[in-house]
């Protein structure tokens, strides 16, 4: 359901997908976790919050597609993203510099969704 909503958002907004072939599944899941955690911590009321939420949708959908391509089950993909989000919440809350830098790198690779 979440993947369907994210795909619909991408299609409706006419987003051009950023090539992520160079990223491994674990890196894509890391971006999904980081953006999800940032969205959770920021909230969706501000322009920044909406931007991070859009990035979360993109990376979550990309992670699900990468999991399918790799032959992973949807349940495994969801569990991977959940673990990545929990880890990222801890890191971002602790103001971990590496996590902040990784989040910015993920956001730089996110296509503009609207």
């Amino acid at each position: 359901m979440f993947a369907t909503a994210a795909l619909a958002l991408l299609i409706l907004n006419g987003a051009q997908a950023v090539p992520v072939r160079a990223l491994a599944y674990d890196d894509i899941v890391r971006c999904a976790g980081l953006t999800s955690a940032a969205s959770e911590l920021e909230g969706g009321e501000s322009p920044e919050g909406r931007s991070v939420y859009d990035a979360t949708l993109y990376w979550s959908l990309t992670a699900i597609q990468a999991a399918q391509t790799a032959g992973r089950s949807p349940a495994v993909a969801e569990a991977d993203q959940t673990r990545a989000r929990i880890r990222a919440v801890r890191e971002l809350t602790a103001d971990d510099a590496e996590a902040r830098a990784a989040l910015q790198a993920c956001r730089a690779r996110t296509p503009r969704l609207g």
Side-chain angles (χ1 to χ4, degrees):
M1 171 92 173
F2 182 78
T4 303
L7 180 58
L9 179 67
L10 287 172
I11 292 169
L12 289 174
N13 286 316
Q16 297 294 320
V18 173
V20 291
R21 290 184 193 114
L23 290 179
Y25 172 76
D26 290 338
D27 296 328
I28 294 168
V29 169
R30 175 74 168 146
C31 284
L34 283 164
T35 56
S36 180
S39 178
E40 183 179 318
L41 294 169
E42 177 69 30
E45 302 302 316
S46 68
E48 177 70 12
R50 288 189 293 277
S51 175
V52 176
Y53 180 76
D54 286 350
T56 300
L57 291 175
Y58 172 77
W59 285 108
S60 178
L61 175 62
T62 302
I64 290 168
Q65 290 173 333
Q68 289 172 338
T69 300
R72 291 186 166 105
S73 75
V76 168
E78 288 292 328
D80 290 344
Q81 287 187 61
T82 298
R83 280 190 298 277
R85 181 187 54 76
I86 291 167
R87 173 184 169 200
V89 165
R90 289 180 184 143
E91 292 171 338
L92 295 175
T93 300
D95 204 25
D96 181 283
E98 285 184 30
R100 293 267 175 214
L103 173 60
Q104 292 310 314
C106 293
R107 292 193 62 198
R109 293 188 76 130
T110 304
R112 191 168 147 79
L113 300 179

